């Protein structure tokens, strides 16, 4: 399967949100494994394997994360993610037009 390289810079809160989301996703797979032992859905081994994959991803993110030095605030209203008022919903992740 082709691999993707992800190089992102996130705030501490965003990093914690990502970590929490991965933990919730992992725990969801663990729950599915428990349900599978009762005869629901796919085999428990499948869900346990998926939970391990997500845990591995979470650990990899922690291993490869580093703290960036704080940057001085500039006098302009721009942020690291774009101009003021630009939200993630407005960002077009599929095109290069915003880069």
């Amino acid at each position: 399967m082709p691999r993707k390289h992800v190089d992102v810079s996130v705030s501490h809160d965003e990093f914690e949100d990502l970590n929490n989301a991965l933990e919730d996703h992992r725990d969801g797979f663990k729950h599915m494994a428990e349900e599978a032992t009762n005869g629901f859905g796919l085999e428990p081994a499948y869900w346990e394997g998926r939970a391990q994959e997500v845990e591995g991803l979470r650990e990899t993110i922690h291993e490869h994360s580093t703290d960036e030095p704080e940057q001085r605030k500039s006098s302009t209203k721009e942020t690291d993610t774009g101009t003021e008022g630009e939200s993630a919903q407005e960002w077009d992740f599929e095109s290069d037009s915003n880069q």
Side-chain angles (χ1 to χ4, degrees):
M1 176 182 286
R3 298 186 59 86
K4 296 206 182 265
H5 174 82
V6 179
D7 184 15
V8 297
S9 176
V10 297
S11 71
H12 176 74
D13 288 343
E14 291 168 329
F15 185 81
E16 290 302 314
D17 289 342
L18 176 60
N19 182 67
N20 291 340
L22 287 170
E23 287 175 341
D24 289 345
H25 194 49
R26 176 203 61 207
D27 293 346
F29 284 141
K30 287 181 177 181
H31 178 73
M32 294 297 290
E34 291 172 13
E35 291 290 320
T37 60
N38 296 325
F40 299 107
L42 299 173
E43 294 295 317
Y46 171 79
W47 297 114
E48 291 165 1
R50 293 301 312 271
Q52 290 172 357
E53 289 173 1
V54 173
E55 178 61 19
L57 174 59
R58 194 186 69 76
E59 290 173 1
T60 298
I61 288 172
H62 280 271
E63 289 171 8
H64 293 279
S65 67
T66 57
D67 290 329
E68 292 181 353
E70 283 193 37
Q71 296 179 358
R72 290 178 41 214
K73 290 186 178 183
S74 66
S75 60
T76 63
K77 298 275 185 176
E78 291 186 8
T79 63
D80 290 341
T81 57
T83 58
E84 181 180 19
E86 186 174 15
S87 71
Q89 292 175 341
E90 295 167 343
W91 193 264
D92 183 0
F93 293 100
E94 296 296 323
S95 74
D96 294 331
S97 63
N98 286 326
Q99 295 181 356

